[in-house]
Amino acid sequence: MHIIDPRFPLIENQGYIPNPFTCEDYLERTKEWDIAGGAVVSGSFQGYDQSYLKEALSRLGKGFFGVTQLPENVTDEEILSLDAHGVKAVRFNVKRGGIETLTHLDSFGQRVYELAGWHVEVYIEAKLLPEMEDTIKKLPAVSIDHLGLTTSGFETLLKLVEHGVRVKASGFGRIDMDAAEAIRGIVRVNPEALMFGSDLPSTRAPRPFLNTDIELIQETVGDELAEKVLFSNAAQWYGKKD
């Protein structure tokens, strides 16, 4: 999910600044579920600010991890400091930042993995994946947001899943495909690959997250695989120990 706390810097992106969605808002929205943890993901509207993320991870506590955005010239010391605060990935936002966002994907992805064991998260339309397939396959650990968003390029996404890339089962209101069909395709290739995310508060999504999105996962894959998609795959990926 995103945490949007107006006490911290927000940057207009493509004419958009989101409404607040604080840790308290998130906890209230999800109070009916037994939430064991999650990933707080930095949005394009947060730039390289880390102050909100450190505060959010401290507030949410055990089981919550950060996915942040960083400039390529960030120091090793800053990466290790963020790791100590619970950050476990660096995000490349191609959807909002353009294909040039991937300029340092290879070198930076290798660097953060070797230094801190972080993975790379890529917010990208699957239709762009064929030209990025070889580069992504060279990276040690990668996840792709929102089922890849587009039907075009989905076959390449499945090739990457076969190679070990993980996929977020999130943002069903953003995609141009049948979510259940996409979920079935991914778990057939690798049942460890798919990781649920609420995508709250669904910034800029044509259709926001609904509770029935969880039910869709359960109905599509059955109880045993639903446990993987809804918990254990992500727990392993983000390094949760218990």
Side-chain angles (χ1 to χ4, degrees):
M1 75 288 197
H2 299 298
I3 295 297
I4 303 157
D5 189 330
R7 296 177 301 164
F8 299 95
L10 292 170
I11 301 168
E12 184 176 304
N13 176 266
Q14 300 174 351
Y16 176 81
I17 293 181
N19 292 324
F21 187 76
T22 64
C23 291
E24 288 66 33
D25 294 327
Y26 171 76
L27 294 170
E28 175 65 23
R29 176 65 177 83
T30 61
K31 66 182 180 181
E32 66 190 272
W33 301 312
D34 180 18
I35 300 292
V40 181
V41 180
S42 288
S44 57
F45 41 79
Q46 285 157 325
Y48 297 138
D49 174 57
Q50 309 300 328
S51 56
Y52 97 91
L53 185 55
K54 293 176 182 179
E55 169 70 18
L57 293 175
S58 174
R59 170 71 180 86
L60 294 169
K62 183 179 179 181
F64 285 85
F65 302 96
V67 178
T68 196
Q69 298 164 151
L70 290 169
E72 189 269 339
N73 62 352
V74 64
T75 65
D76 288 358
E77 289 75 17
E78 175 66 3
I79 292 170
L80 293 172
S81 173
L82 289 169
D83 183 72
H85 280 87
V87 176
K88 298 300 174 186
V90 63
R91 192 185 202 211
F92 287 79
N93 191 331
V94 182
K95 174 70 173 175
R96 302 299 176 193
I99 196 71
E100 64 274 8
T101 306
L102 296 175
T103 302
H104 303 291
L105 175 63
D106 190 2
S107 59
F108 200 22
Q110 294 284 352
R111 179 184 168 206
V112 297
Y113 183 82
E114 292 170 4
L115 181 64
W118 289 7
H119 65 271
V120 164
E121 180 172 298
V122 186
Y123 183 18
I124 190 171
E125 294 179 326
K127 65 184 180 183
L128 300 176
L129 289 176
E131 61 188 280
M132 298 302 305
E133 181 179 358
D134 290 342
T135 299
I136 291 174
K137 282 182 174 178
K138 292 176 185 176
L139 291 169
V142 183
S143 68
I144 293 176
D145 278 342
H146 306 322
L147 298 173
L149 293 169
T150 60
T151 303
S152 175
F154 190 74
E155 289 302 315
T156 302
L157 178 68
L158 293 181
K159 291 179 185 177
L160 292 170
V161 168
E162 187 173 14
H163 189 76
V165 169
R166 305 299 181 97
V167 181
K168 297 288 184 68
S170 61
F172 297 167
R174 302 179 186 274
I175 63 178
D176 74 359
M177 66 190 84
D178 180 271
E181 184 177 340
I183 288 167
R184 281 191 291 268
I186 292 167
V187 298
R188 274 197 298 267
V189 174
N190 181 4
E192 314 296 322
L194 206 57
M195 304 179 291
F196 165 74
S198 68
D199 190 38
L200 287 169
S202 306
T203 56
R204 288 191 271 202
R207 191 270 283 172
F209 167 75
L210 302 173
N211 292 6
T212 51
D213 291 345
I214 295 176
E215 296 170 13
L216 183 148
I217 292 172
Q218 294 170 317
E219 293 167 0
T220 299
V221 302
D223 290 344
E224 183 177 347
L225 284 178
E227 190 279 336
K228 288 180 175 290
V229 176
L230 294 172
F231 174 68
S232 60
N233 286 348
Q236 179 276 328
W237 187 242
Y238 284 96
K240 184 175 170 60
K241 302 304 182 185
D242 52 17

